[in-house]
Amino acid sequence: MVLSGLYALVLLCLAAAAALGSGRRLLGLFGAGRVGGAEKSWIGAALGLGLLSLGTLALAGLSLLGTWPIIVLLAGLVLWGWSELKAALADLRGPFKRPVLTGAAWLWGLVLLWVCLMPPHQYDSLVYHLVLPETYVRLGRLASPPHLLYSHFPQNGEMLFTLALALKSDILAQMLMWLSSVLCLGMVFSACRRELGEGPAWLALGIGATHTALLLLGTVTYVEPLVMLWTCGSVLSLQRWRVEGGRGWLLVAGAFSGLALGTKYTAGATAGLLALVPLLSPGRPRALGDRLKDSLIFAAVVSGLFLPWLVKNLLTIGNPVFPFLYSWFPMTGVGWGADTAQRYFRILAEYGHGESWVRDFVTLPYQLLVNFQRYGGGMDVLGCLGWTLVLAAAPVGLWPALKERESGGRAFLRLLAAYCVLHFLVWFATGTVLRFLTAIAPLLACLAAAGLSRAWLASGPFLRPAVAAVGVLLTGVNLGYFLYVHAVFETGKVLLGRESRSAYLSRKLAYYPCAAWCRANLAPNDRILLVGEQRAYYLGRDHVASTVNAPNRWVALANEAENPSDLTARLKAEGVTAVLFVPRELERLFPALGPLTETGLENLKGLPGAERLRFTGPACGVFSL
């Protein structure tokens, strides 16, 4: 683990250098380079991560994906941004304000970086966030596995994971999400310090850096940290444009919003809401034509960066916005019928509202405190923890937003407050998966810090200890949740060297021993059918996995076959050479895998058994056809 961790750390430094230098230079090309050193580095590196993602996408689209092309991409971006990289490093040698707080913040960041050394084991990561990149790297190009609907979703985040896997490190993929979280908190901290002062800025950083959901999601291969980074970057850049004028920051805001939308469809809320800001242009009286032009420029930049994913889907499945508008584009090429689409969206809405939206809205704070599983079960719980402090304190930020005398700080807080309220309402109206709300968590932390700072100044000596005690208590609860989750995951066993990566994964994933055997013993061109398992990442071979969100081809073949021998012949005709059975997981998923007839079940049971058994693990088995 030590060697793989050091290797990933070296790669992280290379990727960060490429992003930092090239992103700062891109800021200058946009006409937004006149910004303070540290803040320029946060914003520039955030843009640079977008360049890494789009560069990897270009290599994959041209079928040039591989280790050396990725190294050339990184080296090229480092060289292109070399002058800016040297300037950024020079800024680091400057004097630090509040060295104790700065040191504590970076020490906490290093602890979280250490957590990234855990092997990926989260459900969605193993189902598609890492499976798709592994497939792209193995084939050297973009591909669309028929069992993975997610291959037709926006994938700017998966492109960064692809970069990491091309460099042979899934630990790097997790570290890139850590980097995204650090850049986002740094960007928000700099903006708060510029607009509100040192105290509120450090308080905002403390609230954000101890938010349990951000801590948990910032060390795994879920894409929420990237959506958060580029969403916050877009809002803060648009605020600078409102103050400074010109078009530079408007272009930066559009770029960030387009990158976020190219990462997750939920960022459409950001693009739609922020496109209205130039049009409304509060505080800046201008002609309607000029306002409309700025709004269209913003929308054009967003659309341009989102366009690659629209074109990819249009060419591969005929529906540019899959899985939406399925009734308009019925021939998607993935067996996506209206019934399957409705089932998929019902799954998305499982955390939605019951009979009364008003009751759900009024009881939201209470539910978050005592029944947070209501807003995300399973691995979605990673995004459900730690919201009490930020959501309880953020409304207090409306006070300085309305009463702050300093026009700059008031304008800053008003935009943040208006955007966060509207984003929250969109989130609440379209579903209540708290993981999706992390996109604005740092902005909410900034509002909370502004409100609490003003309340602290206005309160007397008797109230301040109570306020401080509540804040410390809730922060402690957030950190306690973080430690509890890692205790459940048994993270310490691996991070402290008491258990190997393979031993840990064998305990946590029933199919892992069989997957490891397949990687070591099957030919590179073998194709494996996974019966009863969706989490195919560790297989490392061409495969067809069971899935609950799309038609299962192997179920249809089992139903159509006349007998087990016929089923074997049909599977072999489709290139399947081995079958990996995971009985326990099959039993759990079985009701959602599709209607398996009695004949189909008998055909599956009659597939070649003990006489062709190649390997058996504690809870899985592999046999050849």
Side-chain angles (χ1 to χ4, degrees), residues 354-378:
E355 298 179 357
S356 174
W357 285 32
V358 175
R359 184 183 60 190
D360 284 355
F361 187 82
V362 171
T363 61
L364 180 63
Y366 172 77
Q367 296 290 343
L368 289 176
L369 186 62
V370 302
N371 188 28
F372 53 78
Q373 298 94 334
R374 155 76 173 76
Y375 303 100

Side-chain angles (χ1 to χ4, degrees), residues 211 365 368-370 384-394 474 477-478 481:
H211 190 318
L368 289 176
L369 186 62
V370 302
C384 291
L385 299 170
W387 285 94
T388 302
L389 175 59
V390 69
L391 288 182
L474 293 177
V477 169
N478 286 357
Y481 277 142

Side-chain angles (χ1 to χ4, degrees), residues 126-127 130-131 134-135 138 147 170 501 505 509 511-524 526-531 533-546 577-582 615 620-622:
L126 304 188
V127 170
L130 289 176
V131 171
E134 188 277 328
T135 302
R138 179 160 38 83
H147 63 280
D170 52 18
R501 173 186 172 108
L505 291 173
L509 305 172
Y511 87 105
Y512 182 81
C514 291
W517 182 89
C518 289
R519 286 199 315 274
N521 294 278
L522 296 185
D526 276 340
R527 193 179 198 207
I528 304 164
L529 171 65
L530 278 79
V531 177
E533 182 57 78
Q534 300 187 94
R535 298 164 291 181
Y537 168 61
Y538 288 109
L539 196 58
R541 291 289 184 275
D542 186 18
H543 63 273
V544 178
S546 302
T577 58
V579 178
L580 195 163
F581 262 114
V582 189
F615 177 83
C620 63
V622 182

Side-chain angles (χ1 to χ4, degrees), residues 55-415:
T56 305
L57 172 61
L59 292 175
L62 295 171
S63 299
L64 296 175
L65 191 59
T67 301
W68 283 108
I70 290 294
I71 291 175
V72 170
L73 171 66
L74 292 173
L77 290 176
V78 168
L79 290 175
W80 184 60
W82 183 251
S83 60
E84 286 291 343
L85 184 58
K86 289 196 298 182
L89 294 176
D91 292 336
L92 290 177
R93 293 195 292 268
F96 283 97
K97 294 182 178 180
R98 306 200 178 187
V100 174
L101 290 176
T102 301
W106 280 110
L107 180 61
W108 180 232
L110 291 176
V111 170
L112 298 177
L113 184 62
W114 176 54
V115 175
C116 292
L117 300 181
M118 279 295 295
H121 60 91
Q122 293 76 23
Y123 205 91
D124 285 2
S125 293
L126 304 188
V127 170
Y128 69 98
H129 285 311
L130 289 176
V131 171
L132 287 171
E134 188 277 328
T135 302
Y136 301 154
V137 171
R138 179 160 38 83
L139 299 178
R141 57 178 174 81
L142 290 176
S144 299
H147 63 280
L148 274 181
L149 296 176
Y150 308 103
S151 62
H152 310 300
F153 286 21
Q155 295 175 50
N156 282 342
E158 281 75 13
M159 288 299 104
L160 288 179
F161 302 154
T162 299
L163 179 148
L165 296 189
L167 296 174
K168 317 295 184 185
S169 177
D170 52 18
I171 299 301
L172 173 61
Q174 297 185 140
M175 288 183 171
L176 287 173
M177 295 305 97
W178 171 88
L179 178 61
S180 301
S181 301
V182 169
L183 292 177
C184 184
L185 291 175
M187 191 160 40
V188 172
F189 170 78
S190 293
C192 284
R193 183 168 58 179
R194 170 169 41 83
E195 299 287 352
L196 306 175
E198 286 280 336
W202 281 106
L203 183 56
L205 180 62
I207 294 173
T210 56
H211 190 318
T212 315
L214 304 192
L215 299 179
L216 294 172
L217 293 171
T219 53
V220 300
T221 48
Y222 281 32
V223 299
E224 271 69 26
L226 273 176
V227 179
M228 177 180 73
L229 170 66
W230 289 329
T231 295
C232 292
S234 187
V235 174
L236 296 176
S237 298
L238 207 56
Q239 168 58 20
R240 290 196 72 127
W241 167 77
R242 292 178 63 235
V243 173
E244 299 181 12
R247 289 267 165 76
W249 286 107
L250 181 67
L251 297 177
V252 173
F256 277 138
S257 191
L259 289 170
L261 184 56
T263 304
K264 201 177 187 75
Y265 278 130
T266 54
T270 301
L273 292 174
L274 294 185
L276 298 175
V277 174
L279 190 60
L280 299 175
S281 189
R284 294 185 64 197
R286 293 177 303 145
L288 177 61
D290 292 336
R291 286 182 280 158
L292 181 61
K293 185 177 181 180
D294 287 338
S295 184
L296 290 175
I297 288 174
F298 177 87
V301 175
V302 173
S303 301
L305 287 174
F306 187 49
L307 187 62
W309 300 114
L310 299 177
V311 172
K312 171 187 171 292
N313 280 358
L314 186 63
L315 294 177
T316 56
I317 57 174
N319 182 356
V321 290
F322 181 88
F324 303 103
L325 303 182
Y326 55 85
S327 60
W328 290 21
F329 302 97
M331 301 302 293
T332 63
V334 292
W336 181 269
D339 56 337
T340 310
Q342 291 162 6
R343 181 177 65 181
Y344 172 76
F345 286 112
R346 279 198 300 270
I347 292 174
L348 284 183
E350 66 178 305
Y351 306 123
H353 306 289
E355 298 179 357
S356 174
W357 285 32
V358 175
R359 184 183 60 190
D360 284 355
F361 187 82
V362 171
T363 61
L364 180 63
Y366 172 77
Q367 296 290 343
L368 289 176
L369 186 62
V370 302
N371 188 28
F372 53 78
Q373 298 94 334
R374 155 76 173 76
Y375 303 100
M379 281 296 174
D380 277 339
V381 78
L382 297 180
C384 291
L385 299 170
W387 285 94
T388 302
L389 175 59
V390 69
L391 288 182
V396 184
L398 297 177
W399 178 15
L402 297 174
K403 300 295 184 181
E404 180 67 52
R405 292 181 180 178
E406 184 184 352
S407 60
R410 182 174 62 184
F412 174 74
L413 290 175
R414 281 184 173 180
L415 179 65

